[in-house]
Amino acid sequence: MRSLNLSLFLLLLTPVYSAPTSPITFGIDLDAVLERSSPTFQWGMLDDANNYYPNDGYGDRPQEWVNSMFGANGDLGYMLYSPTKNTLRLDVSKLTLWDDRTPDMDDYVNDYVLDQPRMGSGYFEITWWGNSSSDLPRKVKGQVDLFKGVTNLSVLTSTSGEGFDLTIFANADLTSENVIVISATGTGGGSPPDITFVPANPNNNDHDSYIPNPPPTTRRTNLDEFSSLEEIFQPHLKGTVHATGILRVEDYNLNEQQRTTIYTSLSPVLESEDAASEYVRDMTIGANSTSYSNLWNAHTSYWIHFWPEGGLLSIDHSLMEAFFYIQQYKFNCATMRGEVHDLMGPWFIEYTPWPDLHWDLNVQYTYYMPLVANRPLWTQSLTNYMESLLRNGNLKTNVPEGWRVDSAAAPTGASSLSGNVTCNWVAGPDCLTAPPAQTGNLMWTLQLVDLAASYSKNDTIKTAILCPLLDQALMFYQHFHIDNSSDDKTIHLEPTASPEYPGPPGKDCNYDISLYSWGLQKFLDLKCPSTTHLSLFTDTLNRLTWFPVANSTLAIYDSVPYSTPHRHFSHLMSIWPLHLLDVATNETNYKLAHDSINLWLATPEEDSMFYRPAASVMNLLLKQKEAAFDNITYVLDKRVEGSTWYREGDAGSCTETPYAAAYAIVDWLVQSWNVTANGERIIDVFPGVDDVIELGKGDYVAAPSRIAASQFWRMGAEGGMIISGKRVVDSKNDEQIVSRTSWVGVERGVGGLDSVLVRLPTMERPIIYDANLDVKRRGRINVEDDVGEGFVRVSGMDEGDIIVLFSQNNRPEDGFVFDNNGGCEGEYNHWGSIFNETNKTIGEWPCLNRNM
């Protein structure tokens, strides 16, 4: 696997500080909120009162991976579901398990999905009794416990009370063994189920021309009278091998109930069977020595402490609130060990068409949420990965050989973990990244690296990673831009491809012009240390052509208007995420953006909805709050399945879309992308929330109203700032709900800005502040509420200071408390249940009456 520079990794770790006592009270019961948010399941022939269902209760079981109970520890992942009425299946997989074929091999074909794809490991089949049709479970109840990071399932196998309980977790204590732990205990006099491992088919690749690895082999060893070890070795064509280790312990618990405990570990790809065996033996035998109870305590302690360390929210719509928390759980499951997040995360999907990293949207779309959720360790999984690609030079090998002295590029579409372009998927000449293929993917990824530096205020990311890669990405464009110095002196681009737009490539691709423009301006703003290219980039920026426009809307290419249904927003990058068009103060730009977005949304691709989160963010930029809300409820209603997974086709896992939807929800609550003309950072609080909601308007699928009462805790903002806020309902009747911002918390993180503008246009003046600081520190802080345009300027805070802004005439009687909105009880535990999913797909969400 990749080798990281440890000293740089330590530099990139966001500094921490012990914050003083905050004036904001953390009054939320996280366990209770997360319990009502947890994916919950029930199926079988009996209801909670042990009455028989009038219809087949087995149709509500989670039959596929999209409905699974799932967990992971940043490397090992599992998914539990019920493919048949009388079986359970537990998929296990490893995030860092990739095939390893190299150009020196006869079987290497220069195609990442055939040479170096993600690989599956296998699954446990869980059965009981004779596994016949008469062995159908009477009642099954399960839940993913978000608060503790554990899956629990209770199976009643007979009407006389016999059954078993399953508890599953992927050990999150990074100081102990890297294992998935399965505990199966007989209940009511019953026995644990039979749990049999089925190795992955070496040919479980979706592509017909894939040459499978040799078949696996198995070795079983009895360790003592209670325990045994099973090792499954999967040889690779390279001559390497990876292994699955399964240590099984059969005993009784303190209640004299029969119990089976399984410790499972998956090795990385290693040089020999002996090395793979040593790895899984160390992990599984070590886990058994550590003991189940110690692993459980360390694992659950990790998750309990994890939750309050980042951004939290509480809003009226409980199913949307739960959706946000499940994405936090999912992302932490995927990246807690620092590995970059690909399309699947640690949950390998059998026969996936995309066993890879997608560079033309998916990687980037994945990483917006961690920024606003104030989870810098998640973002570091991307910045560390980009640092490794900078150091190993793989991005340089993606460009034509004559350009490699000064240039680099990401793959045109997708790649293995190596980041190398191959002959798969719209590659350029000689299977490289070059015109007329897609060329802007590295620049877009660097926008995420820049945001990571801005949100964490970590200058090391800028100087050590962003600036050198930005220099190489800009020089890449220099090799194929067209300098009309003898004509109109405007710089254009050779024909390149707009991601996923049908038809031939074209000149001045909007995707590339937008990204090139952003990169040039960013390089100059950062004052990157490149005396060689500074004047070159300055001249290029001054002469680069404007974003192509046709028929009064943003075009795909020069003189090629948007005219074909297109799920990607590649021609709209200047609106979002790059924010190059001033739509706030420039009426011409506003109309251009408005008409371009409306045309795009009026002719979407019907079989895909990954664009909806981006549409929501763009709607809000244009102050179309209702449309911003509707775009999220629409994708949740129509395409997000089961336990919040999004897929295209049967096996095409696309984790980025739910993450992007969670980002869009936070975008309604706080934004920080904007600056004034003199560079002062603007923080917008509750920009997607209206003061007055007309209840008779805006009915749309599952969205009878927008957000009213809402609050958030310690969300991230650019400039190293951390923001909290609360809105309360002032009044409501059958016609409208009136709400207002009660208070806003401003915290200056390590390296955070000394001065920021907080936009509070409707908060009654005068606005004052409170803080639990000594007189000397309070004396340095200045709050100005008369600076115009609804702004409040906050300055003079020390690192770690936290203040609360509020109206002098409306000081909250109960103080500044982040607590629980209550939401709607009918929406609790919405995700997971097939019953809920069936209802929502016909437009009937469990609860439409807002409980405020």
Side-chain angles (χ1 to χ4, degrees):
M1 308 318 299
R2 70 179 189 274
S3 175
L4 289 177
N5 180 278
L6 182 59
S7 61
L8 183 54
F9 175 84
L10 294 175
L11 282 171
L12 294 183
L13 287 176
T14 301
V16 295
Y17 60 85
S18 298
T21 303
S22 172
I24 306 170
T25 301
F26 188 82
I28 197 168
D29 184 346
L30 264 180
D31 192 2
V33 169
L34 292 171
E35 194 285 328
R36 76 188 194 202
S37 300
S38 293
T40 301
F41 306 78
Q42 182 168 343
W43 71 93
M45 63 178 66
L46 300 177
D47 62 17
D48 284 337
N50 288 329
N51 296 318
Y52 284 92
Y53 281 113
N55 300 313
D56 181 6
Y58 296 100
D60 291 336
R61 76 184 194 278
Q63 301 176 39
E64 301 180 82
W65 61 271
V66 289
N67 305 114
S68 64
M69 288 157 270
F70 66 93
N73 67 0
D75 185 32
L76 303 181
Y78 67 84
M79 287 179 148
L80 177 67
Y81 52 103
S82 177
T84 67
K85 292 180 181 181
N86 57 347
T87 64
L88 296 168
R89 171 170 166 157
L90 180 69
D91 291 350
V92 293
S93 50
K94 186 177 180 73
L95 175 63
T96 54
L97 184 58
W98 298 73
D99 211 340
D100 56 345
R101 303 173 195 187
T102 51
D104 58 303
M105 298 172 58
D106 292 338
D107 297 314
Y108 185 81
V109 295
N110 197 22
D111 184 334
Y112 71 90
V113 299
L114 305 179
D115 297 322
Q116 297 174 356
R118 278 280 302 274
M119 301 180 67
S121 300
Y123 64 90
F124 289 97
E125 184 176 56
I126 302 173
T127 59
W128 49 94
W129 295 355
N131 199 33
S132 67
S133 59
S134 61
D135 299 330
L136 298 181
R138 272 49 179 174
K139 181 167 55 180
V140 185
K141 299 184 73 171
Q143 186 177 74
V144 178
D145 184 340
L146 298 179
F147 188 56
K148 295 180 179 178
V150 173
T151 290
N152 296 303
L153 190 76
S154 178
V155 181
L156 184 67
T157 57
S158 74
T159 54
S160 60
E162 294 177 321
F164 61 88
D165 290 340
L166 282 177
T167 299
I168 306 166
F169 62 93
N171 181 30
D173 176 24
L174 305 189
T175 66
S176 59
E177 290 80 12
N178 184 16
V179 291
I180 294 172
V181 182
I182 308 164
S183 175
T185 304
T187 58
S191 302
D194 294 325
I195 304 176
T196 305
F197 186 73
V198 180
N201 180 353
N203 197 27
N204 69 356
N205 192 297
D206 183 59
H207 300 79
D208 293 338
S209 53
Y210 177 71
I211 302 173
N213 287 308
T217 60
T218 300
R219 181 168 66 205
R220 294 178 176 86
T221 306
N222 290 324
L223 301 178
D224 55 41
E225 60 179 314
F226 301 109
S227 60
S228 62
L229 178 66
E230 181 179 4
E231 298 169 275
I232 298 92
F233 300 99
Q234 176 57 65
H236 292 221
L237 291 177
K238 176 77 172 174
T240 51
V241 66
H242 73 264
T244 302
I246 302 164
L247 192 151
R248 192 182 308 259
V249 181
E250 310 280 355
D251 61 6
Y252 291 84
N253 65 14
L254 295 177
N255 297 320
E256 296 300 317
Q257 295 168 309
Q258 285 183 265
R259 177 177 62 184
T260 299
T261 305
I262 294 175
Y263 303 99
T264 301
S265 189
L266 310 174
S267 81
V269 179
L270 296 171
E271 67 277 5
S272 68
E273 185 175 298
D274 286 346
S277 175
E278 181 181 8
Y279 181 94
V280 296
R281 281 176 168 264
D282 286 348
M283 290 297 167
T284 56
I285 295 174
N288 191 32
S289 298
T290 299
S291 83
Y292 178 88
S293 60
N294 286 333
L295 289 174
W296 166 271
N297 290 336
H299 169 82
T300 55
S301 176
Y302 166 87
W303 275 103
I304 291 169
H305 287 88
F306 155 79
W307 285 106
E309 293 176 350
L312 306 171
L313 57 77
S314 182
I315 56 179
D316 307 327
H317 296 260
S318 296
L319 63 89
M320 204 174 286
E321 176 184 282
F323 176 81
F324 170 82
Y325 283 123
I326 296 170
Q327 303 326 301
Q328 305 305 291
Y329 170 77
K330 192 188 298 179
F331 207 107
N332 194 50
C333 280
T335 60
M336 68 173 73
R337 291 175 182 264
E339 297 294 337
V340 68
H341 200 315
D342 61 11
L343 266 76
M344 295 181 287
W347 305 282
F348 181 84
I349 308 304
E350 213 171 28
Y351 298 104
T352 176
W354 306 308
D356 56 61
L357 288 161
H358 271 34
W359 289 87
D360 63 342
L361 175 139
N362 307 70
V363 168
Q364 299 89 340
Y365 224 29
T366 294
Y367 277 94
Y368 287 107
M369 182 189 72
L371 298 166
V372 297
N374 189 23
R375 298 287 185 181
L377 290 176
W378 295 352
T379 307
Q380 285 173 12
S381 67
L382 177 65
T383 56
N384 289 342
Y385 176 61
M386 296 307 294
E387 182 263 347
S388 72
L389 294 181
L390 170 66
R391 290 183 173 273
N392 65 29
N394 283 7
L395 298 178
K396 279 182 169 288
T397 64
N398 291 337
V399 305
E401 186 172 0
W403 301 359
R404 294 173 188 171
V405 64
D406 57 18
S407 302
T412 55
S415 75
S416 70
L417 194 62
S418 71
N420 288 128
V421 66
T422 65
C423 295
N424 183 289
W425 195 357
V426 297
D430 300 319
C431 297
L432 297 172
T433 302
Q438 296 172 22
T439 51
N441 297 340
L442 174 57
M443 195 70 79
W444 189 3
T445 311
L446 293 182
Q447 192 234 359
L448 273 297
V449 176
D450 174 62
L451 289 174
S454 180
Y455 274 83
S456 64
K457 209 66 175 69
N458 190 326
D459 290 338
T460 303
I461 295 176
K462 294 180 181 179
T463 56
I465 303 175
L466 180 58
C467 278
L469 282 175
L470 193 56
D471 185 75
Q472 293 172 14
L474 290 171
M475 288 306 298
F476 171 63
Y477 275 115
Q478 291 279 326
H479 286 288
F480 60 90
H481 78 206
I482 303 168
D483 188 346
N484 290 335
S485 56
S486 60
D487 189 6
D488 62 0
K489 298 187 178 180
T490 302
I491 291 175
H492 297 270
L493 290 179
E494 292 180 15
T496 57
S498 186
E500 301 204 13
Y501 194 75
K507 176 184 173 184
D508 289 342
C509 174
N510 218 324
Y511 180 69
D512 286 299
I513 292 294
S514 299
L515 288 163
Y516 196 13
S517 177
W518 174 86
L520 290 164
Q521 185 63 62
K522 180 58 61 175
F523 190 91
L524 302 182
D525 291 343
L526 292 175
K527 298 179 173 57
C528 286
S530 174
T531 55
T532 305
H533 300 146
L534 185 61
S535 60
L536 177 65
F537 294 159
T538 302
D539 176 66
T540 301
L541 179 62
N542 290 335
R543 295 195 292 122
L544 185 64
T545 189
W546 179 252
F547 319 113
V549 174
N551 300 336
S552 300
T553 60
L554 289 166
I556 303 296
Y557 310 109
D558 180 35
S559 301
V560 179
Y562 175 89
S563 60
T564 302
H566 183 35
R567 62 184 185 171
H568 205 298
F569 48 92
S570 51
H571 64 301
L572 304 176
M573 299 285 286
S574 58
I575 305 172
W576 185 84
L578 302 179
H579 297 291
L580 300 176
L581 283 179
D582 175 12
V583 299
T585 63
N586 187 305
E587 292 184 8
T588 301
N589 286 349
Y590 180 94
K591 187 176 188 311
L592 175 63
H594 176 274
D595 293 348
S596 300
I597 293 170
N598 284 354
L599 175 63
W600 172 55
L601 293 178
T603 54
E605 281 192 6
E606 294 299 329
D607 65 340
S608 174
M609 292 189 187
F610 74 61
Y611 61 89
R612 291 283 180 173
S616 175
V617 177
M618 293 186 207
N619 289 144
L620 192 51
L621 286 173
L622 302 182
K623 304 189 185 306
Q624 299 170 327
K625 299 179 183 180
E626 187 171 349
F629 186 78
D630 291 346
N631 267 304
I632 297 304
T633 55
Y634 193 86
V635 71
L636 296 188
D637 183 63
K638 298 297 184 184
R639 286 299 296 272
V640 173
E641 299 182 69
S643 41
T644 73
W645 299 93
Y646 175 93
R647 63 176 166 181
E648 296 190 358
D650 291 333
S653 177
C654 299
T655 53
E656 80 292 327
T657 299
Y659 294 149
Y663 162 76
I665 292 171
V666 178
D667 197 57
W668 305 339
L669 306 179
V670 60
Q671 296 179 356
S672 59
W673 59 271
N674 205 0
V675 294
T676 63
N678 63 2
E680 201 166 6
R681 178 65 56 186
I682 296 171
I683 297 174
D684 272 309
V685 183
F686 298 112
V689 182
D690 279 329
D691 294 319
V692 179
I693 294 177
E694 303 293 343
L695 294 178
K697 301 177 181 179
D699 290 348
Y700 186 70
V701 188
S705 67
R706 297 183 292 281
I707 300 295
S710 54
Q711 48 191 313
F712 62 94
W713 161 269
R714 303 194 78 239
M715 293 295 183
E718 292 198 53
M721 308 302 288
I722 301 168
I723 309 298
S724 305
K726 184 172 186 175
R727 284 185 71 86
V728 296
V729 173
D730 263 354
S731 64
K732 64 175 180 173
N733 54 41
D734 292 339
E735 296 180 353
Q736 65 180 20
I737 300 171
V738 179
S739 64
R740 62 176 172 83
T741 300
S742 176
W743 54 262
V744 173
V746 180
E747 178 178 349
R748 184 184 178 189
V750 172
L753 296 172
D754 176 69
S755 177
V756 294
L757 292 175
V758 182
R759 196 194 304 270
L760 296 169
T762 60
M763 183 177 281
E764 184 181 354
R765 266 57 175 176
I767 293 175
I768 59 176
Y769 80 94
D770 199 354
N772 290 342
L773 301 173
D774 59 42
V775 174
K776 183 177 180 181
R777 294 181 74 175
R778 287 178 67 102
R780 290 197 291 265
I781 296 174
N782 188 32
V783 172
E784 307 168 70
D785 69 353
D786 59 352
V787 295
E789 299 183 42
F791 288 129
V792 177
R793 177 177 288 114
V794 178
S795 59
M797 295 175 66
D798 288 341
E799 292 180 359
D801 284 353
I802 307 171
I803 69 168
V804 179
L805 303 173
F806 62 99
S807 170
Q808 181 174 314
N809 299 325
N810 276 309
R811 184 184 184 100
E813 293 182 1
D814 59 349
F816 312 107
V817 182
F818 171 70
D819 53 15
N820 172 26
N821 273 355
C824 184
E825 188 172 351
E827 294 176 351
Y828 292 175
N829 302 116
H830 169 87
W831 300 103
S833 169
I834 303 299
F835 175 79
N836 287 346
E837 181 175 338
T838 302
N839 283 340
K840 81 182 178 70
T841 56
I842 59 173
E844 298 176 7
W845 291 65
C847 182
L848 298 179
N849 298 315
R850 301 295 148 209
N851 178 26
M852 295 177 291

